[in-house]
């Protein structure tokens, strides 16, 4: 069966009817839900989306179209599943039993590989109530859910989604987990707390591609990147994932031949991340400036935040009520060329 036939088969088969032959489904809005046939559960977390043509279990991560589902449930080949679905009247095999997957915890030590860009049929990460779907915590071997203040969507130069960095705030601090759509050791796909593969993408690749001649404003953190885009639209505002400890793992090559202004946080860690530093033993640790020079940027300048409160950054300025014109004028009097220190 060729690809065109397979595509037509997926479109013409009623996935609710097929899955409903094996799973007791109940309508839930535009979707149907039931207890997952691929792992033991008491509360239904298995959903069928007729509009998108897939099933997804938020408990174990199972994610299949109608052909994949039939293959897995009845443990048959792709060709056999297509033949069964393409017949006059679909009927399940009387002896069919679901092929149980290994418990998810057994995969905790396995490698989960991010799939970028994220496929169109992946479920939305953040739901209408503001909470994420269950996200597999690779290191801890369990599912977590988050209610982020913001979900920063990372996109490639073509505008395709490649993952998220969530900002979750609490009374005693914040966390910023990176969430990517991953393929697990057994082939199941699931949203996971998993870093972007190295070299990691910049945050703002789509904006860079849209404005190839514009100068670039580089700040630390997704929140500052968003603030820069709002307040200083004459620049393309970009950032990166992982903060100061992640600068060495980033792909800086998209900034080659660009004019770049660095805006560090107003503390030692912020300046060190941008400009590099020597430790107590005299060893030099490269910062963004050294890595950008290696990447071949056309020019580099840095905004000196001296005089501002410790940790103050671009986002704080807007939160304090600075106007865009006020911010631009202040920065113009605080910017200078960089004498890049070499290690």
């Amino acid at each position: 069966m060729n690809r065109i036939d397979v595509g037509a088969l997926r479109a013409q088969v009623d996935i609710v009817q097929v899955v409903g032959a094996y799973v007791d489904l109940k309508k839930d809005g535009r979707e149907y839900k039931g207890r997952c046939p691929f792992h033991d559960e008491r509360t239904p977390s298995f959903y069928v989306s007729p509009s998108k043509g897939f099933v997804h279990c938020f408990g174990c991560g199972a994610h299949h179209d109608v052909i994949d589902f039939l293959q897995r449930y009845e443990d048959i080949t792709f060709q056999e599943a297509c033949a069964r679905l393409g017949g006059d009247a679909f009927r399940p095999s009387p002896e069919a039993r679901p092929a149980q997957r290994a418990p998810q915890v057994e995969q905790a030590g396995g490698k989960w590989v991010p799939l970028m860009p994220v496929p169109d049929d992946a479920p939305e990460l953040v739901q209408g109530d503001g909470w994420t779907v269950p996200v597999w915590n690779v290191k801890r071997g369990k599912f977590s859910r988050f209610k982020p203040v913001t979900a920063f969507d990372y996109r490639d130069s073509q505008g395709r989604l490649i993952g998220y960095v969530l900002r979750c705030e609490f009374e005693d601090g914040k966390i910023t987990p990176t969430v990517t759509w991953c393929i697990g050791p057994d082939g199941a796909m699931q949203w996971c707390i998993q870093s972007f593969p190295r070299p990691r993408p910049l945050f703002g690749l789509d904006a860079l591609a849209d404005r190839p001649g514009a100068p670039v404003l580089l700040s630390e953190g997704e929140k500052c990147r968003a603030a820069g885009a709002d307040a200083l639209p004459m620049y393309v505002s970009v950032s990166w994932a992982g903060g100061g400890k992640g600068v060495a793992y980033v792909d800086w090559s998209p900034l080659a031949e660009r004019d770049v202004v660095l805006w560090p946080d107003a503390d030692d860690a912020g300046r060190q991340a941008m400009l590099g530093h020597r430790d107590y033993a005299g060893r030099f640790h490269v910062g963004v400036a050294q890595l950008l020079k290696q990447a071949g940027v056309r020019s580099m300048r840095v905004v000196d935040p001296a005089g501002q409160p410790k940790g103050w950054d671009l986002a704080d300025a807007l939160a304090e009520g600075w106007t865009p014109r006020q911010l631009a004028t202040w920065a113009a009097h605080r910017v200078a060329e960089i004498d890049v220190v070499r290690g």
Side-chain angles (χ1 to χ4, degrees):
M1 181 173 291
N2 59 38
R3 291 183 180 179
I4 296 177
D5 291 332
V6 170
L9 179 62
R10 290 192 179 105
Q12 73 186 29
V13 171
D14 184 343
I15 189 171
V16 175
Q17 179 185 10
V18 172
V19 176
Y22 303 93
V23 180
D24 184 19
L25 298 175
K26 294 184 179 180
K27 192 168 179 54
D28 185 27
R30 296 181 180 180
E31 299 178 333
Y32 293 78
K33 69 178 181 180
R35 287 197 294 271
C36 180
F38 303 122
H39 81 289
D40 293 329
E41 63 176 11
R42 295 181 179 179
T43 302
S45 62
F46 179 81
Y47 283 79
V48 182
S49 174
S51 62
K52 296 181 179 178
F54 65 71
V55 303
H56 184 82
C57 178
F58 293 115
C60 73
H63 184 86
H64 304 293
D65 65 19
V66 66
I67 301 174
D68 297 335
F69 173 85
L70 186 59
Q71 276 186 261
R72 181 169 178 183
Y73 194 104
E74 297 221 2
D75 194 21
I76 57 179
T77 67
F78 179 82
Q79 290 78 11
E80 289 172 332
C82 289
R84 292 274 303 280
L85 293 170
D88 293 336
F90 173 78
R91 293 185 179 84
S93 298
E95 67 278 7
R97 294 290 184 274
Q100 295 284 340
R101 67 180 292 164
Q104 191 78 47
V105 68
E106 294 182 6
Q107 300 190 46
K111 184 175 180 62
W112 286 80
V113 180
L115 182 61
M116 304 189 310
V118 176
D120 292 338
D121 62 354
E124 294 290 336
L125 176 63
V126 181
Q127 303 295 290
D129 60 359
W131 286 88
T132 66
V133 299
V135 176
W136 180 243
N137 190 319
V138 175
K139 292 183 179 180
R140 297 187 178 183
K142 66 178 184 179
F143 282 98
S144 302
R145 294 186 72 199
F146 304 94
K147 192 172 186 179
V149 174
T150 311
F152 297 103
D153 54 325
Y154 275 64
R155 297 184 179 274
D156 63 17
S157 59
Q158 299 178 50
R160 299 174 300 185
L161 179 66
I162 54 179
Y164 293 93
V165 170
L166 307 181
R167 183 181 179 89
C168 306
E169 298 179 352
F170 311 97
E171 291 184 0
D172 56 349
K174 71 177 190 305
I175 58 172
T176 55
T178 300
V179 179
T180 51
W181 181 252
C182 296
I183 303 172
D186 70 347
M189 292 185 288
Q190 173 70 46
W191 286 112
C192 295
I193 302 175
Q194 180 74 305
S195 297
F196 296 112
R198 301 176 185 177
R200 296 171 183 164
L202 288 169
F203 184 37
L205 287 173
D206 49 344
L208 281 171
D210 288 343
R211 301 171 62 192
V216 177
L217 178 64
L218 180 62
S219 54
E220 182 179 341
E222 292 81 11
K223 188 177 180 180
C224 287
R225 185 261 173 175
D230 289 340
L232 301 168
M234 68 288 290
Y235 290 90
V236 176
S237 185
V238 300
S239 187
W240 71 93
K245 295 181 179 179
V247 297
Y249 308 129
V250 177
D251 180 8
W252 299 105
S253 62
L255 298 182
E257 299 300 322
R258 305 292 288 247
D259 298 307
V260 183
V261 174
L262 309 183
W263 191 309
D265 293 354
D267 53 26
D268 288 342
R271 286 185 287 269
Q272 290 170 1
M274 288 293 188
L275 304 177
H277 71 286
R278 293 190 184 278
D279 61 24
Y280 294 111
R283 293 171 297 191
F284 187 78
H285 300 265
V286 299
V288 173
Q290 289 76 30
L291 296 168
L292 289 183
K293 191 172 183 66
Q294 294 174 16
V297 298
R298 183 162 50 201
S299 70
M300 245 190 305
R301 295 182 296 162
V302 62
V303 174
D304 181 3
Q308 297 298 331
K310 184 178 180 180
W312 181 90
D313 59 26
L314 180 54
D316 291 328
L318 294 189
E320 292 167 3
W322 291 44
T323 66
R325 179 170 293 184
Q326 185 178 25
L327 191 62
T329 303
W330 178 88
H333 286 80
R334 302 293 301 177
V335 70
E337 298 290 334
I338 299 176
D339 182 14
V340 179
V341 177
R342 296 181 180 273

